[in-house]
Every structure is written in C-alpha cells, then in structure tokens.
Amino acid sequence: GCDHHPPAHLCGSRQQAPLINMANKKVLILPGDGPGPSVISAAEKVIRAAAPGVDLIHGEIGNVAYEHTSKALPASTMDMIS
C-alpha cells in the first residue's frame, strides 16, 4: 500500500509523471541580486523536474540589469511579461 501523498498510481513507480502539465507554458526567470542567482538555479532544477515541458525564459532585474541598461527593471524585461 501507499500511505504517503502521491496519487496511488505513482506509488512504487520508479519514474513519476510530471507534477504539473506545463507544456507550451513559459516561466520568466529573474535571478536578481544577492542570493537570487543561486536560489533561482536550484528552483530551475525543481521546475524542470516537476514540469519538463516548461519553457524557461531568462531576464534581467536589479543590479545586473542596471549595469547593462542603467535601469533596475529594464523595458526588455518588462516586454517579456505577457
């Protein structure tokens, strides 16, 4: 028997189905500053494992963006939001 949280059809399975159907979905990744890049790196691994069909798009925000564009939230990043 399976007494933990996954659906019964996943219990004992060596390969789990994706947790979220994200096919044809986009997620904007904005690492930012400080611990952001390392946190985002780990989060990307989780997203890819849970929703392998997701399209991860990377943008800039914060100091990195300011160094490249003189704006902490550049128009190019805002244009990625739709």
Side-chain angles (χ1 to χ4, degrees):
C2 182
D3 297 329
H4 55 284
H5 297 288
H9 70 279
L10 296 178
C11 291
S13 172
R14 291 182 157 243
Q15 183 176 5
Q16 290 187 340
L19 301 176
I20 304 168
N21 182 5
M22 294 289 288
N24 301 318
K25 302 290 184 185
K26 296 178 182 179
V27 173
L28 178 58
I29 303 293
L30 301 171
D33 303 318
S38 61
V39 170
I40 291 297
S41 176
E44 281 189 61
K45 291 175 185 173
V46 172
I47 292 169
R48 290 190 192 284
V54 71
D55 185 15
L56 299 179
I57 301 167
H58 294 82
E60 291 185 332
I61 194 167
N63 191 53
V64 171
Y66 187 80
E67 289 175 359
H68 293 135
T69 67
S70 299
K71 300 206 183 289
L73 180 56
S76 59
T77 297
M78 290 300 296
D79 290 343
M80 293 178 175
I81 301 170
S82 59

